[in-house]
Amino acid sequence: MTEAPARRTPGTPCWVSLIVHGLGTTQNFYAGLFGWEFVPGPDQLGPYVRATVDGRVVAGLGQMAPDRLLPVAWTTYLATDDADVTAELIRSCGGTVAVGPLDAGEAGRMAIASDPGGAVFGIWQAAAHLGTALAGTHGTPVWNELLTRETSTVCKFYQTVFGYEAEAVVSADFDYQTLHLHGRPVASLHGIGHALPRDRGPHWMTYFEVDDTDGAARRVVDLGGYVLQPPRDGSSGRVATVADPEGAAFTIVRTAGR
């Protein structure tokens, strides 16, 4: 268990948030899976709570307006020192800004955007709320990966907007790039071509740390969720891709060395 960095380098994944139709039911699911407890969050856009582990915030859950029929999906937020400047840069580089920039009370300033391939992400300019405050223990975000058709074009977008350095895996049949800031890996891009789900398209995937991947996958089903890809050993540890009862997909992982 470690404290997450208090100050976020621009471009670092700093928060994950999920907007759902049934907030109470979703809280029960994640409380049962990760042991999350909840505290109130900013409610300018509707009911919103922050999930906590050992009293420290790790993620956000919000209630979707009844008249909105948007896909339910976890959103990765990338840190910025100036949400307005970053939003303009996103637009100038071929991305789209769908919401904001706008203030989330005293917590900070945010926007929801999408890259040229259509993958949705958020940007967060921290004020009172710095973002995820804990890492390395059960129920905390551990990694963020963009699943997209091919990485070369979209990688240039993220490099220009956030200043990443990219390290590509050189392989004829594996399209993968790791994004670095100041020499530290912070996220990855995985080109999977036609293997992308037709109903989702390019999207950011949140990885959550668990103590036992196989046990957590069974718990997902017991709580009304789904296993999309069963537990398997990967380069980062033992992983499984699952979804909550409303269909929001995420990956659970017991990282290697834990």
Side-chain angles (χ1 to χ4, degrees):
M1 184 187 305
T2 59
E3 295 284 349
R7 294 292 177 185
R8 304 286 179 174
T9 302
T12 304
C14 62
W15 187 243
V16 291
S17 187
L18 175 64
I19 308 301
V20 298
H21 299 287
L23 181 56
T25 302
T26 300
Q27 286 180 252
N28 291 338
F29 171 84
Y30 286 101
L33 180 61
F34 294 141
W36 285 353
E37 297 180 339
F38 300 93
V39 296
D43 58 1
Q44 282 79 4
L45 300 178
Y48 191 84
V49 295
R50 292 177 181 148
T52 68
V53 173
D54 293 332
R56 283 162 285 188
V57 295
V58 296
L61 299 176
Q63 176 84 42
M64 194 178 300
D67 59 342
R68 306 202 73 179
L69 300 176
L70 299 175
V72 176
W74 280 98
T75 299
T76 296
Y77 281 77
L78 306 175
T80 176
D81 287 337
D82 190 322
D84 296 82
V85 169
T86 301
E88 281 303 313
L89 192 53
I90 288 168
R91 295 187 186 98
S92 68
C93 291
T96 301
V97 178
V99 177
L102 53 84
D103 291 327
E106 297 180 353
R109 191 162 173 80
M110 54 81 69
I112 302 295
S114 58
D115 65 32
V120 174
F121 63 95
I123 56 174
W124 181 254
Q125 178 185 336
H129 173 59
L130 299 176
T132 302
L134 188 66
T137 192
H138 183 81
T140 60
V142 67
W143 192 248
N144 293 270
E145 180 176 270
L146 173 63
L147 300 175
T148 189
R149 291 185 174 84
E150 56 83 25
T151 66
S152 60
T153 301
V154 76
C155 185
K156 294 175 183 176
F157 166 83
Y158 285 101
Q159 284 181 295
T160 302
V161 175
F162 295 105
Y164 298 122
E165 299 171 355
E167 179 183 1
V169 173
V170 179
S171 172
D173 58 357
F174 191 59
D175 182 9
Y176 191 91
Q177 301 200 46
T178 303
L179 302 179
H180 295 253
L181 289 170
H182 306 302
R184 182 174 67 92
V186 296
S188 55
L189 312 179
H190 190 182
I192 58 176
H194 296 298
L196 277 170
R198 292 184 179 181
D199 60 340
R200 297 201 66 199
H203 60 279
W204 280 90
M205 173 69 71
T206 300
Y207 285 63
F208 290 98
E209 182 80 46
V210 292
D211 293 332
D212 174 2
T213 302
D214 296 72
R218 291 191 293 270
R219 185 67 174 150
V220 165
V221 176
D222 292 342
L223 292 166
Y226 312 89
V227 175
L228 304 178
Q229 296 180 26
R232 60 206 184 276
D233 292 324
S235 59
S236 59
R238 189 155 179 80
V239 300
T241 304
V242 298
D244 68 22
E246 289 203 18
F250 57 99
T251 296
I252 51 176
V253 57
R254 179 178 171 86
T255 53
R258 277 200 71 214

